[in-house]
Amino acid sequence: MTSRASLPSWQALQKHAVEMKTQHMKDLFSKDANRFNEFSLNSDSFLFDYSKNLITSDTMQKLFTLARDCELEQWREKMFSGERINTTEDRSVLHVALRDRSNTPLIVEGENLTEKVQAALAQIKDFSERIRTGTWKGYSGKRIKDVVNIGVGGSNLGPQMVTEALKHYSDQSVRVHYVSNVDGTQIADILRPLDPENTLFIISSKTFTTTETMTNAQTAMKWLVTSAFDEKAIGKHFVAVSSNKATACEFGIEEENIFDMWDWVGGRFSLWSAIGLPIALDLGFDKFVELLEGAYEVDQHFKTAPLEKNAPVIMALLSLWNCTFLGSQSQAILPYDQPLHKLTAYLQQAEMESNGKSVNWQGDEVDYPTVPSIWGEIGINGQHAFYQYLHQSNNVVPADFIGSVASVTPVKGHHDTLMANFFAQTEALMGGVDEQQVRADLKAKGRNQEYIDKVAPHKVHKGNRPTNTILMDQIEPRSIGSLIALYEHKIFTQGILLQICSFDQWGVELGKGLANNIYDELKSDVIDGKHDSSTQNLINYYKATKAAKS
């Protein structure tokens, strides 16, 4: 298999990038009054404006040619049909099956996965309704008021991001909390105000062996049993989402309270499965279904729309253009809706864990940049923190601006003020202001020439900073489902374009394995001498200092 860089379409883009670096977006807008109409898409779920990128019609045609040369459409079909495109782990990639609302049978290797998904949804519905109505009782006969989800990574970030985004739709039948950090401070702070008699724990771990998750689970179990004086209480207060039923049962969880996870669903794409149980408990099963429906709408768009009108495809192509061809090394995610304050962290994992790789499908080193680092913050907070960097640094950082037409919490004057900033920032990043204009503005304000000469260079903004704008009608379950699916399919497309495996995470596994070995050293007097001198001396210092303080 040849490198993507050897494709004529790739090489054409490299040559085109040299030409485009001499262009300025402000001039492109001046020359084409129809630019917004050409470079934007309007769906039922969102408006996607990508006109503020350093592109022309020729750029986009070259990118679409590359996508076809990479056989993107064929790979898309392979994913939806259940072929094992996760080649390093020999698995299908079928998170889309979790939200398929058509009820069409999906037969993969002789199994009807649709039936499995429907059975899992029925289990989620039944369980969430029993908890929310108070039918399920704790060990002392009291109803459940608090649910603590214990997981890490995809078993935590997805559900937490969604419940935070949609908390205005919660009726507070139960209060949902999340524990992911093995730092004992987090679980202690969560448990301190709770009553064991009213608390349910969800242990979300595919293997039921993840160290961080199981350490927290053991602490939660001891907290409960200390109150109940009976280990049988575990069965009333613990459920699991796992593929390792045997180990979950050994923990004390009853088999009927274990929700399935399948190896064809990656953790960072799993919130649509029983990993999303906290969402159904917090919002109600009907809102969970609306979330699925929003994602399904985008699935259908991604599956059927031509590449030239396909939002996830265009987002991936623009990321490739900005990072691999124009040289940007990072990308900002900038939500202008407070409910989306966890979105950037969620997308960090989704994109960087998926595509932060340096070898291709064959295991050969790639000879081009892959994906940028993802970072960001709620928009207004960012404006008073790092937007200085976005506007005037030598490093060009493409950014996605995400907002909504209507606030979920309308307070007179606030949302218009928020959105005025939203629109102004993309305009400023695109157009900037040159020194001539700066000098004219300062002169108009009555500044003397000495001041103008001194300050003018510092007030220059070069502009030409690319942004995408995603504008939803309002934050609601359906629109959040659509937004997440939009980025999921972008990530899949990036992987195909870059010829890298998007659905493994070996970089996560290495550190975890080393940590397990070091943990054993911390608990004993053994010094194996296999560490580098820095790590060994840090361990020695930690153990010696801890011993001295004990």
Side-chain angles (χ1 to χ4, degrees):
M1 187 175 292
T2 57
S3 165
R4 293 293 193 227
S6 67
L7 293 171
S9 52
W10 187 284
Q11 293 167 5
L13 281 162
Q14 287 179 315
K15 182 179 179 181
H16 182 62
V18 174
E19 299 169 1
M20 289 303 295
K21 286 177 182 178
T22 67
Q23 302 292 311
H24 198 291
M25 275 187 268
K26 183 166 57 176
D27 299 326
L28 298 177
F29 271 94
S30 296
K31 294 173 184 176
D32 183 6
N34 196 46
R35 185 172 173 84
F36 170 81
N37 293 328
E38 182 177 2
F39 299 127
S40 66
L41 296 172
N42 200 345
S43 75
D44 292 337
S45 303
F46 53 83
L47 169 67
F48 172 48
D49 171 25
Y50 60 100
S51 60
K52 293 189 180 85
N53 279 275
L54 191 58
I55 56 172
T56 63
S57 298
D58 188 32
T59 311
M60 295 309 299
Q61 287 308 311
K62 284 179 165 60
L63 288 167
F64 293 131
T65 298
L66 174 65
R68 291 190 168 94
D69 287 348
C70 295
E71 300 182 332
L72 172 61
E73 292 152 312
Q74 291 91 321
W75 280 101
R76 179 180 61 189
E77 177 58 30
K78 289 178 181 181
M79 180 182 73
F80 276 94
S81 65
E83 288 194 35
R84 297 191 176 203
I85 63 171
N86 178 355
T87 55
T88 61
E89 297 178 313
D90 193 29
R91 295 172 180 174
S92 300
V93 176
L94 278 171
H95 47 278
V96 292
L98 300 171
R99 65 242 188 167
D100 186 347
R101 308 305 297 163
S102 70
N103 293 324
T104 303
L106 176 61
I107 310 299
V108 178
E109 299 176 1
E111 282 192 294
N112 186 347
L113 300 190
T114 301
E115 289 182 352
K116 287 190 170 186
V117 171
Q118 289 175 335
L121 286 172
Q123 186 184 15
I124 293 169
K125 179 181 181 181
D126 175 68
F127 180 77
S128 62
E129 289 179 349
R130 282 192 287 156
I131 294 293
R132 287 170 55 79
T133 59
T135 304
W136 177 292
K137 306 293 185 184
Y139 73 85
S140 64
K142 295 181 180 180
R143 67 176 294 163
I144 299 299
K145 295 181 180 179
D146 292 277
V147 174
V148 179
N149 188 77
I150 298 178
V152 71
S155 299
N156 171 77
L157 269 172
Q160 185 174 21
M161 184 272 290
V162 171
T163 53
E164 289 283 340
L166 298 174
K167 66 181 180 180
H168 295 87
Y169 296 89
S170 173
D171 62 5
Q172 295 294 301
S173 295
V174 293
R175 295 180 295 268
V176 176
H177 316 270
Y178 294 89
V179 173
S180 60
N181 197 341
V182 75
D183 183 335
T185 302
Q186 186 181 40
I187 193 168
D189 286 347
I190 293 292
L191 295 182
R192 190 171 289 115
L194 303 186
D195 183 342
E197 296 179 73
N198 303 119
T199 302
L200 175 82
F201 295 93
I202 305 171
I203 312 303
S204 295
S205 173
K206 182 178 286 189
T207 63
F208 220 76
T209 59
T210 305
T211 302
E212 304 94 321
T213 299
M214 297 318 299
T215 299
N216 282 322
Q218 289 289 341
T219 297
M221 183 262 287
K222 292 172 184 175
W223 177 79
L224 172 72
V225 172
T226 299
S227 170
F229 300 104
D230 187 352
E231 289 191 358
K232 291 181 180 179
I234 296 171
K236 294 288 187 180
H237 291 265
F238 279 80
V239 301
V241 184
S242 180
S243 59
N244 188 350
K245 289 189 176 181
T247 304
C249 288
E250 288 175 11
F251 184 90
I253 297 173
E254 296 177 3
E255 187 170 355
E256 62 266 29
N257 297 328
I258 301 172
F259 295 77
D260 277 328
M261 288 186 74
W262 304 288
D263 65 7
W264 38 267
V265 180
R268 54 193 174 276
F269 304 99
S270 65
L271 68 86
W272 322 100
S273 70
I275 289 294
L277 183 59
I279 303 170
L281 289 167
D282 191 21
L283 305 178
F285 185 74
D286 58 335
K287 294 293 189 294
F288 183 66
V289 169
E290 289 176 26
L291 183 81
L292 301 180
E293 289 173 344
Y296 177 66
E297 289 174 8
V298 172
D299 292 344
Q300 293 304 105
H301 166 78
F302 177 60
K303 188 176 182 179
T304 62
L307 301 188
E308 290 79 3
K309 297 293 182 182
N310 196 306
V313 170
I314 292 170
M315 288 176 69
L317 288 169
L318 291 172
S319 176
L320 182 75
W321 172 244
N322 287 323
C323 175
T324 306
F325 294 102
L326 295 183
S328 295
Q329 296 181 344
S330 70
Q331 178 181 353
I333 304 294
L334 307 172
Y336 274 70
D337 265 290
Q338 183 61 34
L340 295 180
H341 71 104
K342 288 283 186 182
L343 179 66
T344 301
Y346 173 76
L347 293 178
Q348 276 180 330
Q349 187 206 15
E351 185 161 328
M352 294 170 71
E353 192 168 274
S354 295
N355 292 331
K357 316 286 175 58
S358 58
V359 298
N360 64 17
W361 294 332
Q362 304 305 114
D364 299 324
E365 289 279 342
V366 297
D367 50 357
Y368 44 80
T370 52
V371 295
S373 55
I374 304 296
W375 58 284
E377 172 61 278
I378 286 292
I380 291 295
N381 293 350
Q383 287 180 200
H384 294 271
F386 55 79
Y387 276 40
Q388 165 64 48
Y389 180 88
L390 296 184
H391 283 287
Q392 290 189 304
S393 167
N394 283 332
N395 297 321
V396 175
V397 180
D400 286 358
F401 281 71
I402 303 166
S404 59
V405 174
S407 172
V408 293
T409 310
V411 179
K412 187 175 181 180
H414 281 248
H415 199 64
D416 284 346
T417 300
L418 175 73
M419 295 307 292
N421 282 272
F422 178 86
F423 299 126
Q425 290 295 333
T426 63
E427 184 176 41
L429 286 163
M430 182 276 291
V433 57
D434 61 27
E435 187 166 350
Q436 182 180 358
Q437 183 62 51
V438 169
R439 288 179 175 274
D441 289 346
L442 290 172
K443 186 175 182 180
K445 292 176 181 177
R447 296 292 190 176
N448 62 44
Q449 193 61 44
E450 180 182 3
Y451 180 86
I452 292 172
D453 290 341
K454 177 181 177 181
V455 173
H458 298 277
K459 293 176 71 70
V460 171
H461 293 61
K462 295 179 181 178
N464 224 22
R465 312 288 169 125
T467 61
N468 295 317
T469 297
I470 298 172
L471 193 56
M472 299 174 286
D473 288 347
Q474 190 174 37
I475 298 293
E476 56 186 6
R478 187 178 297 269
S479 64
I480 291 297
S482 295
L483 182 67
I484 298 168
L486 183 69
Y487 277 96
E488 286 182 344
H489 292 313
K490 172 204 171 184
I491 289 163
F492 164 81
T493 302
Q494 283 175 313
I496 301 304
L497 297 171
L498 293 164
Q499 203 180 56
I500 56 180
C501 298
S502 300
F503 300 102
D504 59 28
Q505 54 280 330
W506 302 112
V508 176
E509 302 302 323
L510 173 61
K512 289 167 67 174
L514 291 173
N516 289 335
N517 296 334
I518 292 173
Y519 178 82
D520 292 338
E521 290 185 52
L522 296 181
K523 305 303 288 185
S524 72
D525 295 328
V526 175
I527 301 176
D528 68 8
K530 294 178 182 178
H531 302 293
D532 62 86
S533 62
S534 170
T535 304
Q536 189 63 67
N537 280 285
L538 289 170
I539 293 171
N540 292 343
Y541 177 84
Y542 173 86
K543 293 176 70 172
T545 305
K546 185 176 181 180
K549 292 180 178 294
S550 61

